[in-house]
Amino acid sequence: MTKRRTDGLSKELIVKAAKKLLDDGGEAALTFRALTTHLATGYGAIYHHVANKSDLLAAATDDVIADVMTGAVVDAEPREALRTVALGLFDAIDAHPWVGAQLSREPWRPALLEVYERIGGLLDALGVPGQALFDAAGALVNYVLGVAGQNAANARLLTSGEEDRTAFLGKVAAQWADLDPEKYPFVHKASAQLREHDDREQFLAGVDIFLAGIATLR
C-alpha cells in the first residue's frame, strides 16, 4: 500500500514536482498518475490546484520564466540587460527543453507575455521607434526562443544517443571540409570553426549582431 503524505499540498509543490518529471522525461512523462505517485497523494488534491495538464504545463513554464526575469539585472543599461535576459532564456530552455515548446504552443499565457514585455520594454528604452519597435521585439524574441529551442532539442537528441556533442560536430566538420570549396565556399571555410564552436557564445554573438542592427533604427 502506497503511503500518503500527511502534510499540506500546495500549488508550489505540485509545480516543483511537475518540473522534475518534465526535466527527467519530457512532456510524455508528465501524467497525473506519475504526479500522484511522486507526491504521494490523490488526484483530488492535485485537481484542487490545477485544472488539467495544460494548466500544469503553463504553471511550470511560468515558474521557469519568472526565475529568469527575477535573475535579470533590472538597473543595468538596456543593451546589457537585453543580453542578460536573452542569455537567461537560453540557459533556462537548455536546462528545461520543454519550456520552448510550451511558450510557442500557448502564446497568450503569462510566460511569453512576460518575455515580450521585458524585451519590448528594453528595446523601447534603447529608443527603437514606432513600427520598428514591434518588428524588432518580434524578431529578437523569435531569434532567442528559436535558437534556444533548437539547441535544447539537439542536446536532448545527443543525450539520448551514443554519440556526444564533440564527436558529432567532429563528424559534421569533416563532412563539410570534404565538400567542393567552389560549390560551397562558405560552408567549406566554416568547417574549421564548427568543431570547436561554443553554442552559448555563438548565440550571444547573434544577440550582439541584432543589437548592432537596431542601433541604426534610432
Side-chain angles (χ1 to χ4, degrees), residues 86-126:
L87 200 55
L89 289 168
F90 181 88
D91 289 341
I93 294 174
D94 183 52
H96 311 285
W98 46 273
V99 167
Q102 175 62 20
L103 286 172
S104 63
R105 183 185 298 122
E106 298 183 323
W108 56 86
R109 295 282 194 174
L112 188 59
L113 297 180
E114 282 296 319
V115 172
Y116 269 109
E117 192 61 37
R118 180 63 65 88
I119 288 178
L122 289 169
L123 289 173
D124 191 24
L126 280 175

Side-chain angles (χ1 to χ4, degrees), residues 198-213:
D198 182 283
D199 294 323
R200 199 168 181 267
E201 289 179 1
Q202 187 179 55
F203 166 79
L204 199 53
V207 173
D208 287 339
I209 290 170
F210 183 93
L211 292 176

Side-chain angles (χ1 to χ4, degrees), residues 8-12 14 43-52 55 59:
L9 186 64
S10 65
K11 185 173 181 178
E12 182 181 4
I14 294 171
Y43 289 96
I46 294 175
Y47 281 118
H48 179 72
H49 295 282
V50 291
N52 48 44
D55 187 33

Side-chain angles (χ1 to χ4, degrees), residues 20-43:
K20 172 74 167 121
L21 292 172
L22 287 162
D23 290 344
D24 290 346
E27 286 190 33
L30 181 60
T31 66
F32 275 62
R33 179 187 294 273
L35 203 55
T36 57
T37 300
H38 186 86
L39 291 168
T41 190
Y43 289 96

